[in-house]
Amino acid sequence: MSALTPDEGLPSADEARQALTALRHEVAKAVVGQEETVTGMVVALLCRGHILMEGVPGVAKTLLVRTVSEALSLDHKRVQFTPDLMPGDVTGSLVYDQHTAKFEFHKGPVFTNLLLSDEINRTPPKTQASLLEAMEEHQVTVEGDPIALPEPFLVAATQNPVEYEGTYPLPEAQLDRFLLKVTVGLPQRAAEVDMLGRHAAGFDPGDLAAAGVRPVAGARDLRAAQNAVEHVHMAPEVLGYIVDLARATRNSPSLQLGVSPRGATALLRTSRAWAWLSGRDYVTPDDVKALAKGTLRHRVSLRPEAELEGATADGVLDGVLASVPVPR
């Protein structure tokens, strides 16, 4: 009997969609009011991309990644980025073995499925850059030899939007490697009351099993879903709409840096994933609109005078979405 190829014997596209849809319910057992961020992580996984989460401390970003990894039956690791963190602390390093008289590579925390890079803007550019190859190529090069990372692989990085003292803002080249940037906001009052009620009843964030969180999907479901997303139809009119949105940002008087062709390609990918999660095998302009701000907000740069006048990236993108004609 011949061996199975990696894509043989996978769940059907409908089975994979059902499994990933169940993820929201499972994560809600531990995390309240962060459905948009959960959806962003799923979209990033479907597109083999990465996600940047911006939010103040205490909004369950770490718990969210832990719960998603548990519900997807994936391995996860967390790295607290600090000013003294070195690249080898992330990727791994060569260690001399006295018994063999050779240097052996000890893998760093980047060798996982979900890597939580906590407060990524608190570490110097040298260490930030150590993630570039891993994010782009899904590999780490040691002594000239590439070592593949596990699949799937997702970097979920966080940064604090309020405290900037002692931080190193991510350069555009690194920001561009993140497929999505989501804002992790404070929960609504009802959701916060629900959260406090759970804690009063004995909820322990460190014990997800006690909260009833269980695996509802896995790597095979993700592989089947990724294959299905790649076959979601993009009409020429929708492709033109994405290009027109990107070009409109380049002509915006409020922006000194508009969306690059890579950014337009990213919007194509995220729109496909959203359409597939919505149960369709084709992309509509509404799919593009739904993912536009999350995919593009970190790929544009405001002019200083526009910032002084109170403009925001989201506000400029809202104007672009309102001004570009929608194909019928």
Side-chain angles (χ1 to χ4, degrees), residues 302-311:
L302 291 166
R303 294 187 184 278
E305 56 270 27
E307 278 192 278
L308 289 174
E309 293 172 0

Side-chain angles (χ1 to χ4, degrees), residues 54-283:
E54 188 172 83
V56 298
V59 290
K61 297 186 292 292
T62 301
L63 178 61
L64 179 63
V65 173
R66 288 179 49 234
T67 308
V68 169
S69 68
E70 183 69 24
L72 289 175
S73 194
L74 298 175
D75 183 39
H76 80 279
K77 290 185 173 67
R78 175 179 177 270
V79 178
Q80 181 67 49
F81 279 72
T82 57
D84 60 347
L85 195 74
M86 299 298 290
D89 297 328
V90 179
T91 60
S93 56
L94 290 170
V95 178
Y96 183 73
D97 189 331
Q98 293 182 341
H99 297 289
T100 62
K102 294 180 179 179
F103 284 94
E104 294 186 358
F105 179 66
H106 285 209
K107 293 179 178 180
V110 75
F111 286 87
T112 187
N113 296 124
L114 301 183
L115 177 67
L116 175 60
S117 303
D118 216 355
E119 294 191 285
I120 191 172
N121 58 337
R122 290 206 171 276
T123 201
K126 177 174 64 175
T127 305
Q128 292 175 1
S130 68
L131 277 176
L132 279 176
E133 181 186 16
M135 294 171 67
E136 187 71 18
E137 308 293 340
H138 287 207
Q139 68 179 31
V140 171
T141 300
V142 180
E143 296 290 296
D145 296 322
I147 302 176
L149 296 173
E151 289 291 346
F153 173 68
L154 175 140
V155 173
T158 72
Q159 62 181 18
N160 187 337
V162 177
E163 191 177 352
Y164 289 108
E165 186 176 349
T167 62
Y168 304 83
L170 291 171
E172 274 69 27
Q174 180 113 21
L175 281 172
D176 211 27
R177 263 53 178 197
F178 286 100
L179 183 71
L180 292 163
K181 179 184 176 182
V182 298
T183 302
V184 187
L186 295 169
Q188 298 293 325
R189 182 181 185 280
E192 196 164 2
V193 170
D194 181 15
M195 179 190 69
L196 291 182
R198 296 185 187 195
H199 281 268
F203 170 69
D204 179 6
D207 189 356
L208 295 178
V213 177
R214 60 183 180 84
V216 294
R220 291 170 56 79
D221 296 296
L222 278 174
R223 174 68 68 81
Q226 290 167 348
N227 292 345
V229 167
E230 291 176 355
H231 292 91
V232 171
H233 178 64
M234 296 286 297
E237 295 80 8
V238 178
L239 290 174
Y241 181 52
I242 292 174
V243 170
D244 290 342
L245 289 174
R247 293 177 69 86
T249 64
R250 299 168 200 163
N251 297 324
S252 171
S254 298
L255 298 177
Q256 62 181 0
L257 179 67
V259 175
S260 68
R262 178 187 288 168
T265 302
L267 184 53
L268 180 154
R269 294 163 61 199
T270 56
S271 301
R272 267 181 159 172
W274 180 250
W276 183 83
L277 283 171
S278 302
R280 284 178 278 103
D281 61 357
Y282 59 91
V283 177

